Amino acid sequence: MRYLALPAVLAGIYHLIALFAALRRAVARKPAESAFHPPVSILKPIHGRDPQFYAAIRSHALLDYPEFEILFGLNDPDDPAREDIVRLAAEFPERSIRVIECPRNMANAKVASMAELTRHAVHPVLVINDSDIAVDRDYLRAVVARLVEQNTGLVTCLYRAAGVTWPARWEALGVATEFAPSVLVARAIGIAEFALGSTMAVRAEDVVRIGGFAAIGDYLADDYQLGRKITELGRRIVLAPTVVETWLADDSWATVWRHQVRWSRTIRVSRPAGYFGYAITNASAWALVAAAGGAWAAAIGTLVVRLLAGVVTGRFVLGDRDTMRLWFLIPFRDLWGFAVWMAGFAGGTVEWRGTRLRLNREGRIVRD
């Protein structure tokens, strides 16, 4: 039954690449302080009050950077997050903090907010991140410095996730030990046309060159589409040396399932190669198959490499402490992920922010 060992070996090779990529990033020297500090407009589309929302937006007001403004975009004037933004402006009167009411004139309401915020932004560099992202004080310095290189068109960041419930910690484990390694592998083999919603730093002039945010307003995976459009300009996407953090609101296993099926279906229609490649890279599933066929050496070797890649990425690249506490759950999380992947095959609808959306084969939101 040697043929049963082959998929496990291939998955092991994938995670060996992930391990080397993680080690390389973990031991990389911190870049020297840059003198490139252009004024920045931080754009934050808001939809509701996420967990730890005030702490997340407050971390932006605490940034150590010469000149920046923070623009919050609200689709709903009665959004409960407005209260926290008003509180932030009162706490930091020295900061330029504005609330912009944004029309829902695109299929993707978040992109509609990004487009409206861009109209009000006054600085040449735009930094967009999700509403629940918390950052370190040197975040802007670390991110914006990479745009000094003219051939760099977008800077993005890895992120770690945290949560207090077991469903949230389960999803966070997947972010640290499955998603982040996949990003490192993609970049290691030359696939770097995608951005992450945790951070997208771009020049305002490049956004104009791609046709503005309206060019991606019909897509659900706006981060991926923005990255693709920027690379079509002949510019590259780089990973900043900083890691940001998000808090997960998942309070039930059903919520986690729906959230991850949405991710899976979105990847399927946005990056089919990455989606179908997951069938080979799920090391725990193939190690189980190999063990069932008696190929114990392949099964054990693959699982060991898988665990090492996950632990090194989660703990030493992302700084996620739960990875060390919950590492033994990684194989079970992989099997869950395989079930999510299977569910991603069926259906063209996803649930996003309480709204059910239909996607076509290109990843565009189908308007009813």
Side-chain angles (χ1 to χ4, degrees):
M1 292 258 212
R2 292 181 179 178
Y3 66 91
L4 291 178
L6 181 59
V9 171
L10 293 175
I13 292 172
Y14 168 87
H15 286 284
L16 193 61
I17 296 172
L19 176 59
F20 282 121
L23 287 169
R24 181 180 179 183
R25 188 167 178 85
V27 302
R29 292 183 178 179
K30 187 176 181 179
E33 175 69 25
S34 173
F36 181 70
H37 300 134
V40 172
S41 295
I42 301 175
L43 313 184
K44 294 192 73 69
I46 304 297
H47 183 92
R49 182 186 278 149
D50 296 303
Q52 302 296 318
F53 177 70
Y54 190 75
I57 62 175
R58 189 175 188 273
S59 70
H60 290 69
L62 291 169
L63 284 166
D64 175 21
Y65 196 79
E67 185 177 1
F68 66 96
E69 62 175 353
I70 311 174
L71 277 63
F72 295 93
L74 301 182
N75 292 132
D76 180 0
D78 296 322
D79 194 308
R82 181 188 287 271
E83 179 182 338
D84 286 328
I85 300 169
V86 170
R87 174 186 168 193
L88 184 75
E91 184 180 353
F92 296 92
E94 73 280 10
R95 297 295 189 206
S96 176
I97 298 172
R98 289 185 282 160
V99 177
I100 309 296
E101 294 188 10
C102 304
R104 297 192 182 197
N105 55 3
M106 299 181 190
N108 187 322
K110 174 186 171 184
V111 179
S113 293
M114 289 158 57
E116 184 66 18
L117 291 173
T118 300
R119 290 183 58 248
H120 294 267
V122 299
H123 296 317
V125 173
L126 309 176
V127 174
I128 307 144
N129 60 29
D130 292 334
S131 60
D132 57 354
I133 292 295
V135 300
D136 292 333
R137 284 179 57 84
D138 65 349
Y139 167 72
L140 281 184
R141 293 179 183 272
V143 170
V144 177
R146 302 304 302 272
L147 287 173
V148 70
E149 302 161 5
Q150 196 58 33
N151 67 334
T152 296
L154 188 149
V155 183
T156 193
C157 288
L158 291 172
Y159 64 95
R160 61 181 173 267
V164 296
T165 67
W166 270 107
R169 295 176 74 187
W170 180 260
E171 184 163 9
L173 184 66
V175 170
T177 66
E178 179 183 80
F179 176 72
S182 74
V183 173
L184 296 180
V185 171
R187 298 191 62 84
I189 63 177
I191 301 173
E193 80 281 6
F194 60 91
L196 304 177
S198 55
T199 292
M200 298 182 288
V202 296
R203 299 178 186 86
E205 63 183 26
D206 284 340
V207 173
V208 173
R209 290 179 64 197
I210 67 170
F213 287 116
I216 61 172
D218 288 340
Y219 292 94
L220 179 60
D222 52 272
D223 47 5
Y224 172 76
Q225 295 298 333
L226 179 59
R228 186 176 66 84
K229 291 285 187 183
I230 292 295
T231 55
E232 287 175 354
L233 297 178
R235 302 197 189 276
R236 66 191 183 113
I237 298 174
V238 302
L239 272 179
T242 190
V243 175
V244 298
E245 184 171 73
T246 182
W247 273 81
L248 301 177
D250 305 318
D251 57 3
S252 71
W253 294 103
T255 302
V256 173
W257 176 263
R258 288 194 297 269
H259 190 191
Q260 295 193 351
V261 169
R262 173 174 69 82
W263 273 355
S264 185
R265 289 177 179 167
T266 303
I267 293 170
R268 190 194 75 202
V269 297
S270 300
R271 294 190 292 124
Y275 176 79
F276 290 105
Y278 183 82
I280 295 298
T281 62
N282 192 305
S284 298
W286 289 115
L288 185 62
V289 170
W296 286 100
I300 294 172
T302 296
L303 197 56
V304 167
V305 173
R306 165 69 185 106
L307 292 172
L308 284 173
V311 168
V312 171
T313 304
R315 182 65 186 94
F316 299 103
V317 175
L318 302 185
D320 179 65
R321 292 183 176 84
D322 256 3
T323 298
M324 295 299 289
R325 301 187 186 106
L326 305 177
W327 65 267
F328 59 92
L329 293 177
I330 292 175
F332 302 100
R333 174 58 188 72
D334 284 352
L335 296 179
W336 164 284
F338 195 79
V340 169
W341 180 79
M342 293 291 291
F345 264 118
T349 62
V350 298
E351 187 173 317
W352 184 76
R353 296 283 190 176
T355 302
R356 201 156 187 81
L357 304 172
R358 287 193 299 120
L359 306 179
N360 67 13
R361 292 183 179 181
E362 297 178 343
R364 294 178 183 269
I365 300 169
V366 179
R367 302 194 198 205
D368 294 325

